[in-house]
Amino acid sequence: MGKLTINLCEELHQKIREDVAADESLTTSLLMERIIREHYEGPKPRPRIESGGRTMAFSVSEELFQRVKRYLAAHGGQSQRDFVIGLVTQGLALWEQGKALKMLEGYTPQKGDRTLAFAVTEELFHQIKAYLAAHKKLSQKEFMVSLVENAVSAWEAGAEADGSPIVEVLPELTEEEKRRRSFAPLSGEYTYP
């Protein structure tokens, strides 16, 4: 057996002494071995995103940020990243079906806004950029904030409980509008009649 000596802050040292005192069968050596084994032999965290991913960020008001935190807490501690990527994926899928997303109008950044940042795959990043290219008047921030605001508002209104989509859509597009907006997000190509 090897020996290891470490220096700890008093706070951690006190916690270790309390844990050992609370369990008669536990010694400091056993506790340290358990912690070290857990670190080296336990499951490794999976990488959040494969290499080549992109970071996206946007700001939301403090009020919306708090509403998002309440939403995430009510949904089993879902991560902000998974929440936002789920909304983006759902929004892009609806768009691909020819449905127009309901966007917020007149959103302006405020002092004290909070930033939500997350990593996305290269493919999803290009799909978002393609959507924005097809909607030239729409900024990335407006797109993202609209998705988040619509989802949180729908949850607060109890709409998601009835199985309706969490991303709001506008009324169905006409065939002419669908032809003008024909876009294949996966290939990144527009098709015009």
Side-chain angles (χ1 to χ4, degrees), residues 151-181:
V152 173
S153 294
W155 168 69
E156 289 170 338
E160 77 175 344
D162 67 7
S164 59
I166 199 167
V167 176
E168 285 191 61
V169 295
L170 295 175
E172 202 62 42
L173 297 176
T174 66
E175 288 305 312
E176 176 60 27
E177 289 172 318
K178 286 180 184 178
R179 277 193 298 280
R180 282 189 283 133
R181 296 179 184 197

Side-chain angles (χ1 to χ4, degrees), residues 46 55 77:
R46 63 179 173 85
T55 299

